[in-house]
Amino acid sequence: MQLRQIDSYRWEIPMTGSMRVPGIVYASADMLKGSDQKEPLKQVANVATLPGIIKASLAMPDMHWGYGFPIGGVAAFDWQTGVVSPGGVGYDINCGVRLAATDLVEKDVRPKLESLVNALFQNIPSGVGSQGSLKLSVPEEKKVLRDGSRWALRQGLGEDGDVEHTEDGGCLPDADPELVSARALERGQRQLGTLGAGNHFLEVGLVEEIFDPHVAGAFGLFQGQVTLMLHCGSRGFGYQVCDDFLASMTKHVQKLGLQLPDRQLACAMIQSEMGSRYLRAMACAANYAWANRQILLHRSREVFQRVFGLGPRDLRMRLVYDVCHNIAKKEEHIIDGKKRTVCVHRKGATRSFPPGHPALNEGYRTVGQPVIIPGDMGTASYVLVGTEKALADTFGSTCHGAGRVLSRKAAKKASKGRSINRELEDKGILVRWTGRGTLAEEMPDAYKDVSEVVAVVHGAGISRKVAKLRPIAVVKG
Amino acid sequence: MKYRIIDHTADVGLHVFGTDPSEVFATAARAMFDIMVSPESVHAVQSLSLQVEGADWPDLMVNWLRELLYLWSGRGLLVHSVDILDIGAQRITADVAVDSYDPARHALGSEIKAVTYHQITVKRKLTGWEARIIFDL
């Protein structure tokens, strides 16, 4: 595929064939060298063929091969004439990350780190098919789907400040539980408050470096501070919603006579019954995910309090922010000088809104939105802040993580004869995990260097570095 | 049973071979569960009847595997074997032998979370039938 370099961090895929707009990829020259980039680049071009797409089909530097849309893909569609695509959101609807800060420093935690990681592992259900301690009745589950984080708060599973420090207040409006299948409801009943498996994790970290003291201060972050990060999504519920709509939209596309380069790009006009149903069902899954992460944060607070013998006031574990990175949202953006309502798909991409944006809570309105970028479990994670440039160039979006470089099988092969657990322990990182192959599959070598990914988004100005965190304890599903 | 695992950066796929559609669909079903759990630990405890429809062969394959995967993800059942009673491009009817998941007996490997349409193919070749399916892990 022909790529034209725009500047140090951007590459254009010129319009060819049935592309309606060009593709624009954020990457360093090195990142684009691998042969594994061929497929995701083709996917960026495929997305550009969808009706109603505006400006460009975008990809962030952590781009890798996905289904239909690439992971790291961002695309906005006109609200009146465009489409919405479940493949542009992904299976794990509202998969996301939340970061909480404490008043603890390493010397408070290190002596009890082993008890802490064991207690987190025991109290946070994780692993394949993990089930929560609560089984929801269907009417109660529907309340979760409507209210998201606020449902959890009403159950006493949170603190003041949690909701306002969550993207969209932890609740997408217009969620309609009557539009989700019996199967989705069934799968959702037992999984609320669980981490799941695969790349999902809970991580205790330390703020290793501060790049922007002013913004870090506004986020409540300081050097040496102990943090807690959670990465998970809407569990089986979101998968089922995505699967159900992929099936019906595949048929729908055939009826419409829409020629798609890939079946997984199945979509519907936003203004059609099918499109509207998907968005309202997707909102249910998004809300489920927020309630889930809220419960996990609450459970983690309880564990910290027990292990360190602190009351909630002394622990002061406050939510810095919660971002989603698999979502489609109705937003207003200025396109060629005109305000337009669009549906922004972020699939493995994070919202990155600048200071002054009305979507931000008051506390962050003057500094901008926190963007949380987890790396692999042995290296680092970053806190960034949203920018005007992101709003102007990427529909207010940036990267979401490191991105895999090794397949799971290749990672297992590369880990043969090594003890990943021991290697991490030698670096001062304690790990607990459930699945048979999880640790090898998720080892640090399996991922791109998150610092390189962050360097690109920082250099391109679509978010700015605020702080770097390093892990000291990790729980994996 | 003839199949090959396709290795992919984020996920995993199957390349399945058979003399006819029936063999390809049965093999795909077994192979999908082989990825998740070692086959010798799964017994035929209970039998279920399934009928699945699709628009064409590839769509039928995705819907068939989705239905079987739901037995796991929604009902905690592992597939031991399938007996295909009738198959055409738009419909498959089968009896499925399953086991209930028991953590003491079943060590789970990679969990397949979804069957995707990505690069799905089910084709008749000169030497028989072939299918490629990519799963989300």
Side-chain angles (χ1 to χ4, degrees), chain A residues 118-336:
Chain A
N118 289 340
L120 287 168
F121 185 60
Q122 279 159 13
N123 288 281
I124 309 281
S126 66
V128 175
S130 48
Q131 300 192 340
S133 47
L134 66 173
K135 188 190 175 196
L136 298 165
S137 65
V138 168
E140 199 59 30
E141 186 183 7
K142 288 183 177 178
K143 290 182 192 165
V144 175
L145 305 181
R146 274 190 214 100
D147 299 340
S149 290
R150 276 181 260 152
W151 178 86
L153 238 66
R154 280 206 306 273
Q155 309 298 310
L157 305 169
E159 292 176 3
D160 295 343
D162 288 352
V163 164
E164 67 170 312
H165 285 173
T166 303
E167 188 168 326
D168 296 305
C171 179
L172 279 188
D174 306 325
D176 186 349
E178 303 313 316
L179 298 176
V180 303
S181 67
R183 285 186 174 188
L185 290 171
E186 186 187 356
R187 290 178 71 174
Q189 276 181 294
R190 284 184 180 277
Q191 291 189 327
L192 198 64
T194 65
L195 194 59
N199 63 356
H200 294 156
F201 66 80
L202 184 154
E203 181 179 298
V204 180
L206 294 175
V207 177
E208 186 177 58
E209 195 176 351
I210 300 271
F211 305 101
D212 185 330
H214 172 66
V215 177
F219 293 167
L221 298 172
F222 60 86
Q223 183 135 11
Q225 177 179 36
V226 172
T227 58
L228 177 94
M229 189 184 282
L230 281 163
H231 176 218
C232 70
S234 48
R235 309 285 288 111
F237 181 85
Y239 267 81
Q240 193 65 46
V241 169
C242 179
D243 221 21
D244 291 340
F245 277 89
L246 274 174
S248 45
M249 281 197 196
T250 311
K251 282 189 205 145
H252 180 74
V253 162
Q254 281 178 340
K255 257 198 294 186
L256 291 181
L258 200 59
Q259 295 294 321
L260 296 177
D262 181 348
R263 284 187 196 221
Q264 195 83 16
L265 288 172
C267 55
M269 301 306 290
I270 295 165
Q271 292 303 328
S272 68
E273 175 70 18
M274 179 70 81
S276 155
R277 287 170 77 92
Y278 170 68
L279 281 168
R280 287 180 284 158
M282 182 210 72
C284 291
N287 294 345
Y288 186 95
W290 273 315
N292 194 35
R293 288 198 289 276
Q294 180 59 41
I295 294 168
L296 294 178
L297 173 65
H298 183 77
R299 298 279 175 244
S300 306
R301 278 178 175 140
E302 290 176 338
V303 168
F304 268 74
Q305 284 162 21
R306 253 199 329 273
V307 171
F308 297 106
L310 295 169
R313 285 202 188 149
D314 304 310
L315 175 66
R316 287 207 340 115
M317 186 187 278
R318 58 229 172 248
L319 181 58
V320 175
Y321 212 62
D322 176 301
V323 292
C324 53
H325 51 224
N326 280 359
I327 199 90
K329 281 209 247 182
K330 184 181 186 181
E331 291 175 3
E332 286 188 334
H333 288 273
I334 309 288
I335 318 285
D336 299 326

Side-chain angles (χ1 to χ4, degrees), chain A residues 1 3-5 7-13 25-38 40-41 59-61 63 448:
Chain A
M1 183 172 289
L3 283 177
R4 186 182 73 81
Q5 184 160 12
D7 53 35
S8 317
Y9 302 105
R10 291 188 301 168
W11 307 76
E12 185 190 73
I13 305 172
V25 178
Y26 284 74
S28 65
D30 275 354
M31 285 173 175
L32 292 170
K33 277 183 190 146
S35 59
D36 57 334
Q37 297 299 302
K38 212 177 105 202
L41 287 171
M60 299 296 118
M63 167 181 84
K448 265 186 210 168

